């Protein structure tokens, strides 16, 4: 776990083809830079052509305006198939849903919102299943 200021945390784990992130801001450039560094490392630990992210923001999940463009520019280069957002621990869920929708739409990344981790994982696992080709 990386600790920044009081009430800030960033926890990243890998399970099979999923990168699991539990994050509590402040969502400023320094925080996002650390997140990007950890994500860059995590991508080297999974199949780069078939992975997804399960993000669980905690507390207030709002970014400074400069952070939005900074993060969008970073994730535009991502090869992630999908991002599941578990808003169960987010105190600004509606505002955060609007913000994350803006980010992931701008980056062209498939995403969905959930109010529990179970449904988020099930959805993400479905996005990562190989698509069979039938004759």
């Amino acid at each position: 776990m990386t600790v920044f200021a009081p009430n800030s945390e960033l926890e990243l784990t890998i399970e099979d083809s999923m990168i699991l992130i539990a994050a509590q801001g402040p969502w400023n450039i320094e925080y996002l830079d650390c997140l990007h560094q950890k994500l860059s490392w995590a991508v080297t630990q999974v199949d780069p052509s078939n992975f997804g992210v399960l993000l669980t923001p905690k507390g207030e999940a709002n970014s400074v305006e400069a952070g939005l463009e900074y993060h969008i520019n970073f994730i535009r280069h991502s090869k992630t198939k999908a991002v599941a957002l578990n808003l169960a621990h987010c105190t600004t869920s509606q505002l955060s849903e609007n913000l994350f929708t803006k980010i992931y739409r701008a980056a062209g990344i498939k995403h969905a919102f959930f109010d529990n981790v179970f449904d988020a994982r099930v959805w993400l696992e479905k996005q990562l299943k190989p698509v069979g080709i039938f004759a």
Side-chain angles (χ1 to χ4, degrees):
M1 177 180 353
T2 302
V3 178
F4 294 91
N7 302 322
S8 298
E9 68 179 64
L10 178 57
E11 192 173 331
L12 189 143
T13 55
I14 298 166
E15 290 182 15
D16 300 319
S17 56
M18 288 189 285
I19 299 172
L20 311 175
I21 303 168
Q24 182 167 343
W27 300 80
N28 56 25
I29 298 293
E30 294 80 12
Y31 185 82
L32 292 171
D33 189 48
C34 181
L35 173 62
H36 295 169
Q37 289 176 22
K38 288 182 175 284
L39 278 171
S40 294
W41 171 83
V43 170
T44 68
Q45 307 302 305
V46 295
D47 177 352
S49 64
N50 188 43
F51 75 94
V53 174
L54 195 163
L55 173 60
T56 302
K58 297 179 179 181
E60 293 182 13
N62 303 310
S63 178
V64 296
E65 189 64 34
L68 291 177
E69 284 305 314
Y70 183 66
H71 192 54
I72 290 169
N73 288 333
F74 175 81
I75 63 174
R76 273 192 179 123
H77 301 290
S78 172
K79 302 293 185 212
T80 186
K81 282 196 169 180
V83 176
L85 295 109
N86 170 23
L87 299 179
H89 304 288
C90 182
T91 58
T92 57
S93 58
Q94 188 60 50
L95 182 61
S96 298
E97 187 171 329
N98 293 338
L99 177 69
F100 286 120
T101 295
K102 178 181 177 180
I103 289 170
Y104 293 116
R105 278 188 183 159
I109 295 177
K110 187 174 190 175
H111 60 284
F113 298 94
F114 303 90
D115 60 7
N116 64 79
V117 72
F118 179 81
D119 290 339
R121 287 179 80 100
V122 167
W123 179 84
L124 190 55
E125 287 169 357
K126 285 181 183 176
Q127 307 312 304
L128 300 175
K129 286 195 187 252
V131 178
I133 300 174
F134 300 99

